[in-house]
């Protein structure tokens, strides 16, 4: 990482640490665009944390396991529709920009990946309302993130 930062000069600052504990808007001046290849084991909690602050970003371009990307962008009344769909689409315009096969990585993972583009809506919910919606969707969709077993 150090070599990459050295090559980029002042255009790149590498910050090492736990991404779940960073307050990115406090660290990076506006305008902000977030581009990330997320560790799949913490992708959903990172996304929800960033959605809480969606107004701080112009755009988020994030790579997820394809199944998670499909949940984020799922339409209502589809099997993939769930908690991530509600929260992401409530705060952002979402679309899958790119699907990436396992062979594109070394070593190749066992799953496909997908890049999701999220553009925050001009009007964002207040933090207290977002927190209520987090609780509501957690209750409605359960621990699996989806509702209505048997669909």
């Amino acid at each position: 990482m150090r070599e990459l930062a050295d090559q980029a000069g002042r255009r790149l600052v590498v910050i090492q640490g736990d991404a779940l504990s960073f307050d990115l808007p406090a660290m990076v001046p506006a305008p902000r665009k977030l581009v990330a290849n997320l560790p799949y084991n913490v992708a959903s909690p990172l996304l929800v944390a960033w959605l809480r602050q969606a107004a701080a970003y112009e755009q988020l371009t994030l790579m997820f396991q394809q199944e998670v990307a499909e949940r984020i962008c799922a339409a209502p009344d589809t099997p993939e529709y769930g908690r991530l769909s509600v929260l992401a689409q409530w705060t952002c315009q979402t679309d899958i920009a790119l699907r990436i096969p396992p062979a594109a990585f070394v070593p190749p993972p066992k799953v496909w990946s997908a890049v999701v583009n999220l553009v925050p809506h001009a009007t964002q919910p207040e933090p207290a309302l977002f927190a209520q919606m987090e609780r509501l969707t957690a209750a409605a969709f359960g621990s699996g993130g989806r509702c209505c077993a048997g669909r």
Side-chain angles (χ1 to χ4, degrees):
M1 284 291 200
R2 187 79 219 131
E3 292 128 9
L4 182 61
D6 290 343
Q7 289 294 324
R10 304 183 102 179
R11 297 177 298 151
L12 175 67
V13 176
V14 176
I15 302 167
Q16 295 181 334
D18 180 358
L20 288 169
S21 67
F22 286 147
D23 180 3
L24 291 177
M27 298 170 68
V28 179
R32 295 174 200 90
K33 292 184 181 182
L34 180 60
V35 179
N37 175 3
L38 302 176
Y40 293 159
N41 61 327
V42 294
S44 294
L46 281 171
L47 174 63
V48 173
W50 293 331
L51 292 174
R52 280 185 208 115
Q53 301 176 316
Y57 300 97
E58 287 186 355
Q59 180 177 330
L60 298 95
T61 303
L62 308 171
M63 185 159 54
F64 297 91
Q65 183 174 328
Q66 182 172 294
E67 177 183 315
V68 174
E70 289 171 350
R71 279 191 247 146
I72 293 165
C73 300
D77 294 322
T78 62
E80 295 81 15
Y81 192 74
R83 179 175 184 256
L84 290 179
S85 313
V86 172
L87 294 175
Q89 294 173 34
W90 184 39
T91 56
C92 299
Q93 173 65 41
T94 66
D95 71 284
I96 294 178
L98 180 65
R99 296 174 196 274
I100 306 162
F105 301 94
V106 176
K110 295 179 181 177
V111 297
W112 277 66
S113 299
V115 174
V116 176
N117 193 40
L118 299 109
V119 177
H121 299 307
T123 303
Q124 292 292 316
E126 293 297 321
L129 182 57
F130 190 93
Q132 288 176 335
M133 184 63 90
E134 281 188 90
R135 289 189 298 275
L136 177 66
T137 56
F141 293 101
S143 63
R146 292 188 290 247
C147 181
C148 308
R151 271 205 216 171

